[in-house]
Amino acid sequence: MSDLIFAATCDLAGKVRGKAFPSAQLDKRQQRGVGWTPTNVQINCFDAIADSPFGALGDLLLIPDQAASVTAEFDTHTERFMLGDIVTLDGTPWELCTRALLKTALARLEAVGGVQLLAAFEHEFQLKGTSALVGEGYGRGGFEEQRALCEALMAQVEAAGFYPDSIMKEYGANQYEVVIGPEKGVRAADAAVILRELTRSVARAHGEAATFTPIRDPNSVGNGVHIHMSFLHPDGTPATYDPDGPCGMSKLTGAFVAGVLKYLDAILALTAPSVISYLRLTPHRWSTAYNNLGFRDREASLRVCPVTSKDPSDIASQFNIEYRAADAAACPHLALAAIVHAGCQGIEDGLSAPEPTEEDLSLLSPADLNSRGLVRLPETLEAALDRFMQNETAKNWFPEPFAEIYRAHKTSEIVHVAEMDTTERCAAYESTY
Ligand code: GLU
Ligand code: MG
């Protein structure tokens, strides 16, 4: 039997796709990659192919990256996969490769802010089987029921070179949350993809199936992806905190946050990119529905997170901002690229830190919201896509063909579920994510 390595990209649909090759070919494949097709970018999450400007033409290479390589040992088998970069035949990054899009955004952050990004993705997921347990939100019983799965997952995370932070039974039915430690730059998004894949694999090995779908039951909570971000100076010291700044934010952090909130309605189609993402982004679900900054408020789209120290240097290194308007239908690289670009725009434009909100924004009139620069976020994927397409600034953060290609991709997804009712849509997304 030949050991196979799966070379993969996380694509516009947030799906991990690629091709496998015998591990004996690794050296060669790290030079020459595996063949890839431009139109693959238009395969949506339901495997329909959206309108593609490339048609049947063109060739690309997917080059596996040793820095994003996973070997996961199970009792019965071993899984090997590597995330990689899509390049043209002459080796230049392909403009629609999600890793390349993130690298461009991170380079912009270094150029305009002089800092490196540290980020950690928190994931909620649900096991599809039924559990007889009730009353187990954050419960020990709910945790013990899946202790073996949780322990196996954390061991795999560690073996893959990441930091297993914590895992718990979340509030929703059969819902769990897994948190891993922060990583620098592209590696943070790679870690998110690898974590999702390992969760699915470990669940399978335990006779379960995991879903990261944004929402399973419209009457219950959703599965959020919360992205924690902080900044490092070139010498590695923290750049996020200033004890005298608003809510403890440094000037750079304040401007970044202001940019993200200013452009949030335009980037939502990239961070909450499924039709059912908008069932989750409603008030009173502990997700978010407005472009607001919250000081430790779990219904804010951006939250200043608590720190657990009195020592100023510990506070400075713990201090981080959480983006809560994302879900796992989004490719982590693409979501992070959009957030970073929005933040960079805030820095470039010299925006000042927004005021945090403290009240239930769903009780305010549109005029009151407007007077404070707040908007109700788009309530459908179509509306979110329109905001992106209408925002020339946001569109221009990406290479020229990106916006039209993304719109066509997402439109084909919208069409796929158009005739379905809400229950059918949730079922469709549950089976693909
Ligand atoms: N399930 C919530 C969401 O959809 C998050 C709950 C929490 O604060 O952890 O984002
Ligand atoms: Mg949670």
Side-chain angles (χ1 to χ4, degrees):
M1 223 172 52
S2 162
D3 290 344
L4 297 178
I5 298 175
F6 189 84
T9 180
C10 184
D11 64 12
L12 297 192
K15 302 286 285 189
V16 176
R17 302 187 208 262
K19 294 180 179 176
F21 59 83
S23 59
Q25 297 174 5
L26 181 57
D27 283 350
K28 183 185 98 181
R29 297 294 183 177
Q30 282 182 278
Q31 306 300 317
R32 287 188 251 157
V34 294
W36 202 244
T37 308
T39 284
N40 285 1
V41 79
Q42 290 302 55
I43 304 177
N44 72 22
C45 66
F46 301 112
D47 272 352
I49 302 183
D51 284 347
S52 164
F54 310 110
L57 300 175
D59 285 290
L60 298 164
L61 301 172
L62 171 55
I63 313 264
D65 183 350
Q66 194 67 61
S69 172
V70 177
T71 301
E73 308 274 2
F74 293 92
D75 289 345
T76 51
H77 67 290
T78 302
E79 297 183 6
R80 295 177 188 79
F81 63 95
M82 294 171 80
L83 304 183
D85 297 299
I86 305 175
V87 299
T88 61
L89 295 185
D90 65 12
T92 49
W94 187 47
E95 54 190 358
L96 298 170
C97 168
T98 55
R99 258 176 138 216
L101 292 169
L102 177 55
K103 285 175 190 173
T104 303
L106 294 169
R108 182 178 177 202
L109 180 63
E110 289 205 40
V112 305
V115 290
Q116 213 187 359
L117 182 76
L118 200 61
F121 286 67
E122 212 177 282
H123 280 88
E124 293 171 333
F125 66 92
Q126 282 168 293
L127 298 174
K128 293 191 202 174
T130 50
S131 167
L133 291 178
V134 287
E136 284 301 326
Y138 310 105
R140 198 176 81 86
F143 171 72
E144 294 299 348
E145 188 169 65
Q146 294 298 341
R147 172 183 283 273
L149 188 156
C150 293
E151 287 183 346
L153 175 56
M154 295 305 247
Q156 293 292 359
V157 165
E158 192 167 6
F162 300 101
Y163 175 76
D165 180 281
S166 52
I167 190 160
M168 62 170 173
K169 169 71 184 69
E170 246 288 359
Y171 177 75
N174 250 354
Q175 189 184 36
Y176 290 80
E177 174 175 313
V178 55
V179 183
I180 62 174
E183 298 287 344
K184 286 182 196 159
V186 175
R187 189 168 161 80
D190 289 348
V193 176
I194 289 169
L195 176 76
R196 294 176 192 175
E197 293 308 297
L198 287 176
T199 305
R200 293 190 170 101
S201 296
V202 170
R204 257 194 316 270
H206 284 78
E208 299 278 354
T211 176
F212 286 85
T213 186
I215 195 161
R216 246 185 130 187
D217 171 2
N219 296 316
S220 186
V221 290
N223 292 308
V225 170
H226 302 157
I227 308 175
H228 294 259
M229 295 173 289
S230 56
F231 309 109
L232 297 175
H233 291 299
D235 65 1
T237 55
T240 328
Y241 179 65
D242 177 348
D244 301 321
C247 301
M249 292 184 287
S250 66
K251 192 160 180 280
L252 172 106
T253 306
F256 185 95
V257 160
V260 175
L261 294 184
K262 179 172 175 188
Y263 291 96
L264 186 57
D265 62 339
I267 64 171
L268 203 60
L270 286 83
T271 68
S274 76
V275 171
I276 61 166
S277 296
Y278 296 82
L279 298 172
R280 171 178 165 257
L281 296 178
T282 50
H284 310 141
R285 213 186 274 276
W286 286 40
S287 64
T288 185
Y290 301 89
N291 64 335
N292 62 321
L293 175 70
F295 187 63
R296 303 179 187 170
D297 173 357
R298 287 188 178 74
E299 285 220 6
S301 43
L302 282 182
R303 181 172 80 115
V304 178
C305 291
V307 286
T308 56
S309 176
K310 290 202 161 47
D311 172 355
S313 78
D314 283 351
I315 295 176
S317 56
Q318 282 182 22
F319 193 79
N320 70 86
I321 305 293
E322 178 188 40
Y323 180 94
R324 296 175 64 86
D327 62 52
C331 167
H333 301 79
L334 194 52
L336 199 54
I339 297 166
V340 168
H341 275 302
C344 287
Q345 196 66 46
I347 297 170
E348 270 183 17
D349 295 352
L351 301 184
S352 45
E355 286 288 321
T357 57
E358 278 170 356
E359 63 277 73
D360 181 349
L361 299 184
S362 69
L363 301 176
L364 301 189
S365 68
D368 284 345
L369 287 170
N370 193 29
S371 69
R372 294 166 58 181
L374 297 170
V375 293
R376 173 70 173 94
L377 295 174
E379 295 182 47
T380 62
L381 178 57
E382 291 94 319
L385 273 178
D386 285 346
R387 297 284 179 96
F388 177 56
M389 296 307 292
Q390 286 156 9
N391 194 313
E392 289 302 319
T393 308
K395 272 195 325 192
N396 285 331
W397 298 332
F398 297 92
E400 198 275 314
F402 176 81
E404 278 305 337
I405 285 183
Y406 192 72
R407 189 214 338 231
H409 182 121
K410 285 290 150 184
T411 301
S412 76
E413 182 178 328
I414 292 168
V415 168
H416 185 90
V417 300
E419 301 300 317
M420 299 181 188
D421 65 21
T422 301
T423 308
E424 290 166 336
R425 287 179 179 182
C426 288
Y429 278 103
E430 173 178 322
S431 55
T432 186
Y433 290 117

